[in-house]
Amino acid sequence: MAIWFTLMGIAFLAFIVGMIMLFSQSKRKIGIITVGSASILIIASLIGVFISISNYNKLQQQVATYSSDSKNGTTKSEGKETYNVNWHNNADGMDKKISTVAVEKKVVHSTMEDKDMPGTLTIAIEIKNNTKNELLSYPLQGELTTENGQQLAADIILSDLVDGKMKPGATIKGTVVFPLDKLDKISDISWFQFSWSTYNKDKLIKSDTGRINLKK
């Protein structure tokens, strides 16, 4: 939505400049073209804003509907297993920890796929920036691979981690939730592998947990 407001602002400035040109005999033709082009861009930006607002409201309604169903007991858990994995890695100037992983068989609505999924895999992760630079770390844009061939993206709405900028010494932590395409029973997921990207200035750092086994 922000890009449409930016375009609208640029178009409005161009419209003002074009109107000023109309008062100059030598620049009147350019002014007419500028005003016409700016008017079209303003209209296109307004349409873009309305479409963005409509899509946002639709997403909010989907989330609200799912939340309401959960509160009313429409979606019931058919089983949940929480594993203490205690994965730890301090490479690339970051202290990275995954303490627990939960697999739950419960119908959830994936806002990314816009469809119901039979279960979730939830990672409790913590990342500390030990470098002297500000890092940009994006676990929510990472990829999770499971033993039954699923390559999954996190659901931002269901997760509570806030990723992105990390100042030196700062820590981000929370849960990253992955809706599962396939899950007949909890034991179907006995291991997973998770990777995500971090940027240290212009340098891309790829963090990868390797295979993490889920055992009680």
Side-chain angles (χ1 to χ4, degrees):
M1 192 183 300
I3 190 172
W4 292 115
F5 282 115
T6 301
L7 287 174
M8 190 184 300
I10 294 172
F12 182 74
L13 290 175
F15 182 84
I16 297 298
V17 172
M19 290 295 293
I20 294 173
M21 288 182 177
L22 292 178
F23 292 99
S24 173
Q25 187 69 31
S26 60
K27 297 181 179 179
R28 185 167 295 172
K29 288 185 178 180
I30 299 176
I32 292 173
I33 295 173
T34 302
V35 169
S37 300
S39 298
I40 293 173
L41 188 55
I42 288 172
I43 293 172
S45 299
L46 284 171
I47 293 173
V49 168
F50 286 131
I51 292 175
S52 297
I53 291 174
S54 176
N55 290 338
Y56 177 78
N57 288 338
K58 181 181 178 182
L59 177 61
Q60 291 297 98
Q61 186 176 10
Q62 289 173 347
V63 175
T65 299
Y66 169 71
S67 298
S68 177
D69 286 346
S70 297
K71 290 177 181 177
N72 293 332
T74 303
T75 56
K76 294 182 178 180
S77 177
E78 299 178 38
K80 180 178 181 180
E81 209 57 84
T82 301
Y83 305 90
N84 294 313
V85 297
N86 296 319
W87 176 83
H88 182 214
N89 180 279
N90 57 9
D92 303 311
M94 290 176 287
D95 200 20
K96 297 160 284 188
K97 300 176 183 178
I98 295 178
S99 54
T100 61
V101 174
V103 179
E104 183 173 20
K105 184 170 174 55
K106 177 182 179 180
V107 176
V108 297
H109 185 80
S110 170
T111 53
M112 303 295 289
E113 299 291 336
D114 193 20
K115 65 179 183 180
D116 288 342
M117 301 277 204
T120 57
L121 187 149
T122 301
I123 296 174
I125 191 169
E126 180 177 334
I127 305 170
K128 182 180 180 182
N129 178 8
N130 290 326
T131 74
K132 296 180 180 180
N133 301 323
E134 181 177 81
L135 301 180
L136 296 173
S137 191
Y138 299 104
L140 288 176
Q141 297 178 26
E143 182 179 82
L144 182 133
T145 303
T146 66
E147 64 181 298
N148 54 9
Q150 298 181 79
Q151 290 184 321
L152 306 167
D155 192 296
I156 297 175
I157 300 297
L158 298 177
S159 305
D160 64 16
L161 179 75
V162 179
D163 62 4
K165 291 183 179 180
M166 295 177 62
K167 293 183 178 181
T171 298
I172 59 173
K173 61 180 179 179
T175 57
V176 185
V177 181
F178 297 86
L180 299 169
D181 271 327
K182 297 174 286 185
L183 188 68
D184 293 327
K185 55 185 181 300
I186 301 296
S187 59
D188 287 345
I189 309 295
S190 65
W191 65 263
F192 73 92
Q193 185 169 343
F194 179 47
S195 63
W196 73 94
S197 298
T198 301
Y199 294 88
N200 185 345
K201 295 184 176 179
D202 295 329
K203 180 183 177 182
L204 171 63
I205 301 169
K206 199 72 174 180
S207 297
D208 195 319
T209 63
R211 181 181 294 193
I212 295 179
N213 295 315
L214 301 179
K215 298 180 180 178
K216 290 298 292 180

PDB file of all heavy atoms in Angstrom, residues 124-153:
ATOM      1  N   ALA A 124      10.422 -22.646  18.520  1.00  0.00           N
ATOM      2  CA  ALA A 124      10.737 -21.563  19.461  1.00  0.00           C
ATOM      3  C   ALA A 124      12.207 -21.204  19.254  1.00  0.00           C
ATOM      4  O   ALA A 124      13.104 -21.983  19.588  1.00  0.00           O
ATOM      5  CB  ALA A 124      10.494 -22.003  20.897  1.00  0.00           C
ATOM      6  N   ILE A 125      12.454 -20.025  18.686  1.00  0.00           N
ATOM      7  CA  ILE A 125      13.808 -19.651  18.276  1.00  0.00           C
ATOM      8  C   ILE A 125      14.264 -18.365  18.952  1.00  0.00           C
ATOM      9  O   ILE A 125      13.439 -17.499  19.292  1.00  0.00           O
ATOM     10  CB  ILE A 125      13.873 -19.506  16.730  1.00  0.00           C
ATOM     11  CG1 ILE A 125      15.316 -19.389  16.242  1.00  0.00           C
ATOM     12  CG2 ILE A 125      13.041 -18.322  16.265  1.00  0.00           C
ATOM     13  CD1 ILE A 125      15.455 -19.513  14.729  1.00  0.00           C
ATOM     14  N   GLU A 126      15.573 -18.258  19.148  1.00  0.00           N
ATOM     15  CA  GLU A 126      16.174 -17.066  19.747  1.00  0.00           C
ATOM     16  C   GLU A 126      17.474 -16.770  19.010  1.00  0.00           C
ATOM     17  O   GLU A 126      18.295 -17.671  18.795  1.00  0.00           O
ATOM     18  CB  GLU A 126      16.444 -17.298  21.232  1.00  0.00           C
ATOM     19  CG  GLU A 126      17.080 -16.115  21.946  1.00  0.00           C
ATOM     20  CD  GLU A 126      17.273 -16.368  23.432  1.00  0.00           C
ATOM     21  OE1 GLU A 126      16.512 -17.187  23.991  1.00  0.00           O
ATOM     22  OE2 GLU A 126      18.187 -15.767  24.031  1.00  0.00           O
ATOM     23  N   ILE A 127      17.667 -15.503  18.600  1.00  0.00           N
ATOM     24  CA  ILE A 127      18.875 -15.109  17.860  1.00  0.00           C
ATOM     25  C   ILE A 127      19.443 -13.845  18.488  1.00  0.00           C
ATOM     26  O   ILE A 127      18.728 -12.854  18.657  1.00  0.00           O
ATOM     27  CB  ILE A 127      18.561 -14.840  16.373  1.00  0.00           C
ATOM     28  CG1 ILE A 127      17.867 -16.044  15.728  1.00  0.00           C
ATOM     29  CG2 ILE A 127      19.838 -14.496  15.609  1.00  0.00           C
ATOM     30  CD1 ILE A 127      17.312 -15.764  14.353  1.00  0.00           C
ATOM     31  N   LYS A 128      20.746 -13.884  18.822  1.00  0.00           N
ATOM     32  CA  LYS A 128      21.408 -12.708  19.384  1.00  0.00           C
ATOM     33  C   LYS A 128      22.500 -12.232  18.434  1.00  0.00           C
ATOM     34  O   LYS A 128      23.268 -13.028  17.898  1.00  0.00           O
ATOM     35  CB  LYS A 128      22.024 -13.034  20.747  1.00  0.00           C
ATOM     36  CG  LYS A 128      22.698 -11.826  21.401  1.00  0.00           C
ATOM     37  CD  LYS A 128      23.298 -12.168  22.752  1.00  0.00           C
ATOM     38  CE  LYS A 128      23.966 -10.947  23.377  1.00  0.00           C
ATOM     39  NZ  LYS A 128      24.595 -11.267  24.686  1.00  0.00           N
ATOM     40  N   ASN A 129      22.560 -10.922  18.226  1.00  0.00           N
ATOM     41  CA  ASN A 129      23.560 -10.318  17.359  1.00  0.00           C
ATOM     42  C   ASN A 129      24.824 -10.010  18.173  1.00  0.00           C
ATOM     43  O   ASN A 129      24.841  -9.096  18.995  1.00  0.00           O
ATOM     44  CB  ASN A 129      23.001  -9.033  16.732  1.00  0.00           C
ATOM     45  CG  ASN A 129      24.014  -8.327  15.847  1.00  0.00           C
ATOM     46  OD1 ASN A 129      25.093  -8.843  15.573  1.00  0.00           O
ATOM     47  ND2 ASN A 129      23.659  -7.142  15.390  1.00  0.00           N
ATOM     48  N   ASN A 130      25.893 -10.776  17.930  1.00  0.00           N
ATOM     49  CA  ASN A 130      27.158 -10.565  18.641  1.00  0.00           C
ATOM     50  C   ASN A 130      28.156  -9.751  17.816  1.00  0.00           C
ATOM     51  O   ASN A 130      29.309  -9.591  18.224  1.00  0.00           O
ATOM     52  CB  ASN A 130      27.786 -11.914  19.003  1.00  0.00           C
ATOM     53  CG  ASN A 130      26.998 -12.641  20.074  1.00  0.00           C
ATOM     54  OD1 ASN A 130      26.418 -12.017  20.964  1.00  0.00           O
ATOM     55  ND2 ASN A 130      26.941 -13.957  19.985  1.00  0.00           N
ATOM     56  N   THR A 131      27.736  -9.257  16.643  1.00  0.00           N
ATOM     57  CA  THR A 131      28.637  -8.471  15.808  1.00  0.00           C
ATOM     58  C   THR A 131      28.587  -6.997  16.209  1.00  0.00           C
ATOM     59  O   THR A 131      27.770  -6.589  17.039  1.00  0.00           O
ATOM     60  CB  THR A 131      28.264  -8.593  14.316  1.00  0.00           C
ATOM     61  OG1 THR A 131      27.061  -7.833  14.056  1.00  0.00           O
ATOM     62  CG2 THR A 131      28.019 -10.044  13.932  1.00  0.00           C
ATOM     63  N   LYS A 132      29.434  -6.196  15.578  1.00  0.00           N
ATOM     64  CA  LYS A 132      29.445  -4.759  15.827  1.00  0.00           C
ATOM     65  C   LYS A 132      28.568  -4.007  14.824  1.00  0.00           C
ATOM     66  O   LYS A 132      28.476  -2.779  14.864  1.00  0.00           O
ATOM     67  CB  LYS A 132      30.878  -4.223  15.748  1.00  0.00           C
ATOM     68  CG  LYS A 132      31.798  -4.789  16.827  1.00  0.00           C
ATOM     69  CD  LYS A 132      33.208  -4.233  16.701  1.00  0.00           C
ATOM     70  CE  LYS A 132      34.117  -4.800  17.785  1.00  0.00           C
ATOM     71  NZ  LYS A 132      35.501  -4.261  17.665  1.00  0.00           N
ATOM     72  N   ASN A 133      27.920  -4.762  13.933  1.00  0.00           N
ATOM     73  CA  ASN A 133      27.078  -4.156  12.896  1.00  0.00           C
ATOM     74  C   ASN A 133      25.606  -4.452  13.142  1.00  0.00           C
ATOM     75  O   ASN A 133      25.261  -5.411  13.840  1.00  0.00           O
ATOM     76  CB  ASN A 133      27.462  -4.690  11.509  1.00  0.00           C
ATOM     77  CG  ASN A 133      28.907  -4.418  11.162  1.00  0.00           C
ATOM     78  OD1 ASN A 133      29.453  -3.372  11.498  1.00  0.00           O
ATOM     79  ND2 ASN A 133      29.525  -5.373  10.489  1.00  0.00           N
ATOM     80  N   GLU A 134      24.739  -3.642  12.547  1.00  0.00           N
ATOM     81  CA  GLU A 134      23.308  -3.933  12.571  1.00  0.00           C
ATOM     82  C   GLU A 134      23.037  -5.031  11.549  1.00  0.00           C
ATOM     83  O   GLU A 134      23.465  -4.939  10.392  1.00  0.00           O
ATOM     84  CB  GLU A 134      22.503  -2.679  12.214  1.00  0.00           C
ATOM     85  CG  GLU A 134      20.988  -2.910  12.248  1.00  0.00           C
ATOM     86  CD  GLU A 134      20.202  -1.640  11.970  1.00  0.00           C
ATOM     87  OE1 GLU A 134      20.062  -1.300  10.778  1.00  0.00           O
ATOM     88  OE2 GLU A 134      19.760  -0.993  12.922  1.00  0.00           O
ATOM     89  N   LEU A 135      22.352  -6.071  11.965  1.00  0.00           N
ATOM     90  CA  LEU A 135      22.020  -7.190  11.082  1.00  0.00           C
ATOM     91  C   LEU A 135      20.556  -7.135  10.677  1.00  0.00           C
ATOM     92  O   LEU A 135      19.713  -6.574  11.385  1.00  0.00           O
ATOM     93  CB  LEU A 135      22.297  -8.523  11.782  1.00  0.00           C
ATOM     94  CG  LEU A 135      23.725  -8.786  12.269  1.00  0.00           C
ATOM     95  CD1 LEU A 135      23.803 -10.154  12.931  1.00  0.00           C
ATOM     96  CD2 LEU A 135      24.722  -8.685  11.128  1.00  0.00           C
ATOM     97  N   LEU A 136      20.280  -7.734   9.536  1.00  0.00           N
ATOM     98  CA  LEU A 136      18.900  -7.929   9.092  1.00  0.00           C
ATOM     99  C   LEU A 136      18.689  -9.433   8.993  1.00  0.00           C
ATOM    100  O   LEU A 136      19.247 -10.085   8.100  1.00  0.00           O
ATOM    101  CB  LEU A 136      18.656  -7.263   7.726  1.00  0.00           C
ATOM    102  CG  LEU A 136      18.801  -5.743   7.686  1.00  0.00           C
ATOM    103  CD1 LEU A 136      18.696  -5.245   6.249  1.00  0.00           C
ATOM    104  CD2 LEU A 136      17.730  -5.076   8.544  1.00  0.00           C
ATOM    105  N   SER A 137      17.914  -9.991   9.913  1.00  0.00           N
ATOM    106  CA  SER A 137      17.711 -11.433   9.965  1.00  0.00           C
ATOM    107  C   SER A 137      16.242 -11.761   9.736  1.00  0.00           C
ATOM    108  O   SER A 137      15.354 -11.142  10.328  1.00  0.00           O
ATOM    109  CB  SER A 137      18.171 -11.990  11.321  1.00  0.00           C
ATOM    110  OG  SER A 137      18.217 -13.399  11.292  1.00  0.00           O
ATOM    111  N   TYR A 138      15.975 -12.782   8.870  1.00  0.00           N
ATOM    112  CA  TYR A 138      14.604 -13.050   8.457  1.00  0.00           C
ATOM    113  C   TYR A 138      14.211 -14.529   8.604  1.00  0.00           C
ATOM    114  O   TYR A 138      13.981 -15.231   7.602  1.00  0.00           O
ATOM    115  CB  TYR A 138      14.407 -12.619   7.000  1.00  0.00           C
ATOM    116  CG  TYR A 138      14.648 -11.149   6.771  1.00  0.00           C
ATOM    117  CD1 TYR A 138      15.814 -10.699   6.158  1.00  0.00           C
ATOM    118  CD2 TYR A 138      13.719 -10.203   7.180  1.00  0.00           C
ATOM    119  CE1 TYR A 138      16.040  -9.344   5.959  1.00  0.00           C
ATOM    120  CE2 TYR A 138      13.926  -8.845   6.975  1.00  0.00           C
ATOM    121  CZ  TYR A 138      15.090  -8.424   6.368  1.00  0.00           C
ATOM    122  OH  TYR A 138      15.308  -7.086   6.168  1.00  0.00           O
ATOM    123  N   PRO A 139      14.087 -15.035   9.833  1.00  0.00           N
ATOM    124  CA  PRO A 139      13.599 -16.411  10.022  1.00  0.00           C
ATOM    125  C   PRO A 139      12.186 -16.624   9.466  1.00  0.00           C
ATOM    126  O   PRO A 139      11.858 -17.727   9.023  1.00  0.00           O
ATOM    127  CB  PRO A 139      13.629 -16.574  11.547  1.00  0.00           C
ATOM    128  CG  PRO A 139      14.616 -15.573  12.023  1.00  0.00           C
ATOM    129  CD  PRO A 139      14.495 -14.411  11.097  1.00  0.00           C
ATOM    130  N   LEU A 140      11.354 -15.580   9.509  1.00  0.00           N
ATOM    131  CA  LEU A 140       9.985 -15.729   9.012  1.00  0.00           C
ATOM    132  C   LEU A 140       9.928 -15.936   7.505  1.00  0.00           C
ATOM    133  O   LEU A 140       8.904 -16.342   6.972  1.00  0.00           O
ATOM    134  CB  LEU A 140       9.146 -14.501   9.389  1.00  0.00           C
ATOM    135  CG  LEU A 140       8.769 -14.365  10.871  1.00  0.00           C
ATOM    136  CD1 LEU A 140       8.024 -13.066  11.121  1.00  0.00           C
ATOM    137  CD2 LEU A 140       7.932 -15.551  11.340  1.00  0.00           C
ATOM    138  N   GLN A 141      11.032 -15.638   6.822  1.00  0.00           N
ATOM    139  CA  GLN A 141      11.087 -15.864   5.382  1.00  0.00           C
ATOM    140  C   GLN A 141      11.924 -17.093   5.050  1.00  0.00           C
ATOM    141  O   GLN A 141      12.282 -17.321   3.895  1.00  0.00           O
ATOM    142  CB  GLN A 141      11.675 -14.628   4.684  1.00  0.00           C
ATOM    143  CG  GLN A 141      10.820 -13.378   4.843  1.00  0.00           C
ATOM    144  CD  GLN A 141      11.434 -12.160   4.182  1.00  0.00           C
ATOM    145  OE1 GLN A 141      12.206 -12.270   3.234  1.00  0.00           O
ATOM    146  NE2 GLN A 141      11.097 -10.987   4.680  1.00  0.00           N
ATOM    147  N   GLY A 142      12.224 -17.880   6.081  1.00  0.00           N
ATOM    148  CA  GLY A 142      13.036 -19.075   5.887  1.00  0.00           C
ATOM    149  C   GLY A 142      12.237 -20.232   5.312  1.00  0.00           C
ATOM    150  O   GLY A 142      11.042 -20.120   5.019  1.00  0.00           O
ATOM    151  N   GLU A 143      12.926 -21.353   5.160  1.00  0.00           N
ATOM    152  CA  GLU A 143      12.288 -22.556   4.595  1.00  0.00           C
ATOM    153  C   GLU A 143      12.514 -23.744   5.520  1.00  0.00           C
ATOM    154  O   GLU A 143      13.619 -23.962   6.016  1.00  0.00           O
ATOM    155  CB  GLU A 143      12.865 -22.867   3.214  1.00  0.00           C
ATOM    156  CG  GLU A 143      12.214 -24.076   2.543  1.00  0.00           C
ATOM    157  CD  GLU A 143      12.778 -24.346   1.161  1.00  0.00           C
ATOM    158  OE1 GLU A 143      13.850 -24.977   1.081  1.00  0.00           O
ATOM    159  OE2 GLU A 143      12.159 -23.915   0.181  1.00  0.00           O
ATOM    160  N   LEU A 144      11.451 -24.486   5.744  1.00  0.00           N
ATOM    161  CA  LEU A 144      11.517 -25.682   6.583  1.00  0.00           C
ATOM    162  C   LEU A 144      11.250 -26.910   5.720  1.00  0.00           C
ATOM    163  O   LEU A 144      10.303 -26.935   4.929  1.00  0.00           O
ATOM    164  CB  LEU A 144      10.493 -25.589   7.712  1.00  0.00           C
ATOM    165  CG  LEU A 144      10.500 -26.763   8.692  1.00  0.00           C
ATOM    166  CD1 LEU A 144      10.478 -26.257  10.123  1.00  0.00           C
ATOM    167  CD2 LEU A 144       9.297 -27.677   8.450  1.00  0.00           C
ATOM    168  N   THR A 145      12.104 -27.917   5.855  1.00  0.00           N
ATOM    169  CA  THR A 145      11.961 -29.167   5.108  1.00  0.00           C
ATOM    170  C   THR A 145      11.705 -30.297   6.096  1.00  0.00           C
ATOM    171  O   THR A 145      12.360 -30.379   7.137  1.00  0.00           O
ATOM    172  CB  THR A 145      13.240 -29.474   4.303  1.00  0.00           C
ATOM    173  OG1 THR A 145      13.532 -28.373   3.437  1.00  0.00           O
ATOM    174  CG2 THR A 145      13.055 -30.730   3.474  1.00  0.00           C
ATOM    175  N   THR A 146      10.730 -31.163   5.779  1.00  0.00           N
ATOM    176  CA  THR A 146      10.407 -32.290   6.659  1.00  0.00           C
ATOM    177  C   THR A 146      10.691 -33.607   5.943  1.00  0.00           C
ATOM    178  O   THR A 146      10.917 -33.639   4.729  1.00  0.00           O
ATOM    179  CB  THR A 146       8.927 -32.260   7.078  1.00  0.00           C
ATOM    180  OG1 THR A 146       8.107 -32.486   5.923  1.00  0.00           O
ATOM    181  CG2 THR A 146       8.569 -30.914   7.683  1.00  0.00           C
ATOM    182  N   GLU A 147      10.631 -34.693   6.701  1.00  0.00           N
ATOM    183  CA  GLU A 147      10.984 -35.994   6.156  1.00  0.00           C
ATOM    184  C   GLU A 147      10.021 -36.490   5.092  1.00  0.00           C
ATOM    185  O   GLU A 147      10.389 -37.315   4.245  1.00  0.00           O
ATOM    186  CB  GLU A 147      11.045 -37.028   7.285  1.00  0.00           C
ATOM    187  CG  GLU A 147       9.706 -37.263   7.960  1.00  0.00           C
ATOM    188  CD  GLU A 147       9.821 -38.278   9.071  1.00  0.00           C
ATOM    189  OE1 GLU A 147      10.168 -39.434   8.788  1.00  0.00           O
ATOM    190  OE2 GLU A 147       9.587 -37.905  10.224  1.00  0.00           O
ATOM    191  N   ASN A 148       8.770 -36.014   5.106  1.00  0.00           N
ATOM    192  CA  ASN A 148       7.817 -36.478   4.090  1.00  0.00           C
ATOM    193  C   ASN A 148       7.791 -35.562   2.860  1.00  0.00           C
ATOM    194  O   ASN A 148       6.805 -35.501   2.138  1.00  0.00           O
ATOM    195  CB  ASN A 148       6.410 -36.644   4.673  1.00  0.00           C
ATOM    196  CG  ASN A 148       5.910 -35.384   5.359  1.00  0.00           C
ATOM    197  OD1 ASN A 148       6.537 -34.323   5.275  1.00  0.00           O
ATOM    198  ND2 ASN A 148       4.772 -35.487   6.031  1.00  0.00           N
ATOM    199  N   GLY A 149       8.905 -34.841   2.652  1.00  0.00           N
ATOM    200  CA  GLY A 149       9.067 -34.088   1.413  1.00  0.00           C
ATOM    201  C   GLY A 149       8.446 -32.711   1.383  1.00  0.00           C
ATOM    202  O   GLY A 149       8.455 -32.061   0.338  1.00  0.00           O
ATOM    203  N   GLN A 150       7.933 -32.245   2.505  1.00  0.00           N
ATOM    204  CA  GLN A 150       7.319 -30.931   2.514  1.00  0.00           C
ATOM    205  C   GLN A 150       8.387 -29.848   2.622  1.00  0.00           C
ATOM    206  O   GLN A 150       9.293 -29.935   3.451  1.00  0.00           O
ATOM    207  CB  GLN A 150       6.346 -30.796   3.696  1.00  0.00           C
ATOM    208  CG  GLN A 150       5.188 -31.771   3.647  1.00  0.00           C
ATOM    209  CD  GLN A 150       4.248 -31.580   4.819  1.00  0.00           C
ATOM    210  OE1 GLN A 150       3.423 -30.676   4.817  1.00  0.00           O
ATOM    211  NE2 GLN A 150       4.368 -32.437   5.819  1.00  0.00           N
ATOM    212  N   GLN A 151       8.279 -28.831   1.797  1.00  0.00           N
ATOM    213  CA  GLN A 151       9.123 -27.643   1.888  1.00  0.00           C
ATOM    214  C   GLN A 151       8.190 -26.481   2.185  1.00  0.00           C
ATOM    215  O   GLN A 151       7.403 -26.067   1.348  1.00  0.00           O
ATOM    216  CB  GLN A 151       9.898 -27.411   0.589  1.00  0.00           C
ATOM    217  CG  GLN A 151      10.985 -28.458   0.353  1.00  0.00           C
ATOM    218  CD  GLN A 151      11.814 -28.161  -0.871  1.00  0.00           C
ATOM    219  OE1 GLN A 151      11.306 -27.723  -1.883  1.00  0.00           O
ATOM    220  NE2 GLN A 151      13.107 -28.412  -0.770  1.00  0.00           N
ATOM    221  N   LEU A 152       8.300 -25.964   3.413  1.00  0.00           N
ATOM    222  CA  LEU A 152       7.258 -25.086   3.934  1.00  0.00           C
ATOM    223  C   LEU A 152       7.761 -23.680   4.225  1.00  0.00           C
ATOM    224  O   LEU A 152       8.924 -23.470   4.576  1.00  0.00           O
ATOM    225  CB  LEU A 152       6.688 -25.688   5.219  1.00  0.00           C
ATOM    226  CG  LEU A 152       6.193 -27.135   5.108  1.00  0.00           C
ATOM    227  CD1 LEU A 152       5.964 -27.726   6.479  1.00  0.00           C
ATOM    228  CD2 LEU A 152       4.919 -27.196   4.284  1.00  0.00           C
ATOM    229  N   ALA A 153       6.835 -22.720   4.096  1.00  0.00           N
ATOM    230  CA  ALA A 153       7.103 -21.333   4.477  1.00  0.00           C
ATOM    231  C   ALA A 153       6.325 -21.032   5.748  1.00  0.00           C
ATOM    232  O   ALA A 153       5.253 -21.597   5.996  1.00  0.00           O
ATOM    233  CB  ALA A 153       6.678 -20.383   3.356  1.00  0.00           C
TER     234      ALA A 153
END
